[in-house]
Amino acid sequence: MQLSHFFQRRNNMVLGVDISAGGIKFLELSKKGARFRIESFAQEALPTGTVVDHEIKDIPALGSAIQRGVVRSATRLKNAAIALASSKVITKVIQMPDFLDEHQMETQIELEADRYVPYPRDEVNLDFQIMGTSREKTGKIDVLLAAARSENIQSRVSALSLANLATQVVDVEAYAIETAFNYLADHSQDESLNGPVAIVDIGREVTQLIILDNRKLIYTRELAFGGKQLTDKIKARYSLSDTQASTAHRGTGLPESYFDEVLAPFRQYIAGQIAKALQVYQVSTEHRRVGRILLAGGCATITGLNVVVERDLGLRTTIANPFANMEVAAGLNADHIAQEAPSFMVACGLALRSFD
Ligand SMILES: Nc1ncnc2c1ncn2[C@@H]1O[C@H](COP(=O)(O)OP(=O)(O)OP(=O)(O)O)[C@@H](O)[C@H]1O
Ligand SMILES: [Mg+2]
């Protein structure tokens, strides 16, 4: 077992690189005074089979895709921040005596980690972050422990290095979303964002449910649905190829029947899945009930989805915009960036790590 400092950052600026099964997203931010600016922005598709179930199956293929994305983004950064899927990281808040120095703490954590991590010692990377005085026990501090299989980190680091990027930060997707959410909430007048909020990040194959209260992450679950199900329906119904179907979701070029017979049931299905997941959350925890929903991910912008979710769940539902109040560098396509914003929550949280 080795302490790898997942959460570590030095003073270098980092390129946010969000690697998913469907593709890679790249984001570079700069900051002037209190104002952020998008300096580079790119997406790069990944060949099927490169990333499966959050594991890198083909490092060279991922490396070349990263390389292409870096060129496309025109970034000059040489350091990257990446995230591991929340489902691949074991996290636990433990209590430690408040008189330990950092070195003693590391030793103690090494000893304790065995109790929490179900993998052989030499296959695991471990890190911790001190969260502050424990609310539960006096004389103790809360420490967030995070453990991940070294292989999951190493394969990403190797692919990035093929594109001449050094991995500076290894974060966790849910924490990256929390970071982006905090930026977004800071730039919003909406008081309800300080209460219990569910962020539903609907991607291609998976959906992340993340619940925050008081702006802090309190719950996370991975749900097995996403935009690929809509693509598959379109494909079967209108006899299209994968590529044609994956860009047809807005209905362009599809018969009128698409909206009522394919898209509407899919919206209904998603709303039902979200309702079910929130029910599971509510019966399994003692936390406060969710009062507000933010939709994120590529599917957040499905026409009318926020309206259906709001109506069916009876909770105010809006689309997350992590780029609210950000400037866009000259030469970038601001309209396109605005349209893609909800799917850049993770990338944004990673890019923001340059400034913490
Ligand atoms: N306007 C839209 N209407 C419907 N679906 C859309 C729209 N825009 C994007 N999508 C779908 O969103 C999905 C991609 O979302 P996103 O970029 O968040 O996924 P990802 O992060 O690559 O995937 P995952 O997180 O599952 O690994 C695709 O299935 C795409 O078809
Ligand atoms: Mg994603």
Side-chain angles (χ1 to χ4, degrees):
M1 185 123 39
Q2 131 204 40
L3 285 161
S4 73
H5 297 289
F6 270 39
F7 300 113
Q8 188 176 35
R9 31 128 203 125
R10 283 168 226 119
N11 289 326
N12 293 322
M13 295 286 292
V14 289
L15 178 70
V17 182
D18 171 15
I19 303 168
S20 285
I24 316 167
K25 299 181 176 73
F26 301 85
L27 184 69
E28 174 186 348
L29 298 175
S30 67
K31 190 181 183 193
K32 210 174 185 183
R35 190 103 169 149
F36 289 91
R37 186 164 70 176
I38 298 172
E39 297 290 348
S40 44
F41 177 98
Q43 279 172 283
E44 187 65 43
L46 273 177
T48 311
T50 311
V51 179
V52 178
D53 188 25
H54 307 301
E55 282 170 17
I56 313 303
K57 299 293 180 196
D58 188 340
I59 294 174
L62 178 59
S64 357
I66 295 173
Q67 175 76 54
R68 287 194 298 276
V70 165
V71 170
R72 196 196 294 272
S73 79
T75 184
R76 274 189 271 167
L77 298 182
K78 287 286 165 229
N79 296 292
I82 57 168
L84 298 178
S86 318
S87 60
K88 296 286 181 184
V89 181
I90 298 170
T91 54
K92 187 154 181 66
V93 177
I94 60 172
Q95 277 85 36
M96 293 265 171
D98 61 5
F99 52 78
L100 300 183
D101 64 27
E102 186 136 339
H103 179 72
Q104 291 169 316
M105 183 104 63
E106 286 193 14
T107 314
Q108 188 73 22
I109 284 172
E110 291 276 2
L111 290 171
E112 296 234 352
D114 264 358
R115 290 174 33 205
Y116 305 111
V117 184
Y119 304 121
R121 285 178 139 268
D122 56 348
E123 291 176 17
V124 170
N125 277 44
L126 186 72
D127 197 8
F128 67 92
Q129 206 171 46
I130 294 167
M131 300 175 76
T133 310
S134 178
R135 259 191 268 163
E136 280 161 35
K137 295 188 186 126
T138 44
K140 302 268 185 185
I141 52 167
D142 283 339
V143 176
L144 173 66
L145 253 189
R149 299 197 71 144
S150 316
E151 196 194 337
N152 282 339
I153 298 179
Q154 204 42 56
S155 53
R156 285 168 172 75
V157 171
S158 303
L160 285 154
S161 70
L162 292 175
N164 295 315
L165 285 172
T167 306
Q168 185 91 170
V169 176
V170 181
D171 209 323
V172 181
E173 284 182 5
Y175 295 135
I177 292 177
E178 181 190 38
T179 305
F181 171 80
N182 271 284
Y183 168 82
L184 173 163
D186 279 345
H187 292 85
S188 164
Q189 310 289 333
D190 186 345
E191 277 302 313
S192 69
L193 296 178
N194 298 317
V197 179
I199 302 177
V200 190
D201 188 309
I202 314 165
R204 202 168 77 122
E205 289 179 21
V206 294
T207 292
Q208 304 284 342
L209 169 64
I210 281 146
I211 298 175
L212 302 104
D213 195 358
N214 227 338
R215 304 239 199 142
K216 291 229 153 35
L217 184 101
I218 54 173
Y219 179 89
T220 158
R221 271 288 168 283
E222 189 171 293
L223 310 168
F225 65 88
K228 186 169 181 297
Q229 282 157 282
L230 178 60
T231 304
D232 289 345
K233 282 247 165 59
I234 296 174
K235 205 171 96 178
R237 169 91 189 234
Y238 302 107
S239 314
L240 299 179
S241 72
D242 259 326
T243 327
Q244 289 169 319
S246 68
T247 53
H249 44 246
R250 283 176 205 284
T252 324
L254 293 180
E256 210 38 46
S257 66
Y258 168 69
F259 296 97
D260 288 346
E261 292 170 24
V262 179
L263 192 60
F266 185 69
R267 275 195 301 253
Q268 214 57 56
Y269 165 75
I270 298 233
Q273 294 296 309
I274 297 174
K276 233 181 3 194
L278 286 185
Q279 230 158 40
V280 170
Y281 159 77
Q282 256 129 24
V283 300
S284 64
T285 68
E286 283 165 7
H287 294 298
R288 295 198 283 165
R289 291 183 83 81
V290 166
R292 178 80 167 79
I293 296 178
L294 277 181
L295 298 179
C299 295
T301 47
I302 289 179
T303 321
L305 181 63
N306 60 321
V307 178
V308 172
V309 172
E310 175 158 321
R311 188 192 61 207
D312 286 11
L313 280 82
L315 296 172
R316 193 164 121 70
T317 304
T318 57
I319 299 167
N321 177 13
F323 298 153
N325 287 295
M326 286 191 191
E327 290 171 14
V328 177
L332 297 185
N333 183 340
D335 289 340
H336 175 68
I337 291 175
Q339 195 184 328
E340 298 294 315
S343 68
F344 268 69
M345 285 291 276
V346 171
C348 182
L350 293 175
L352 284 168
R353 294 294 305 271
S354 290
F355 313 101
D356 59 14

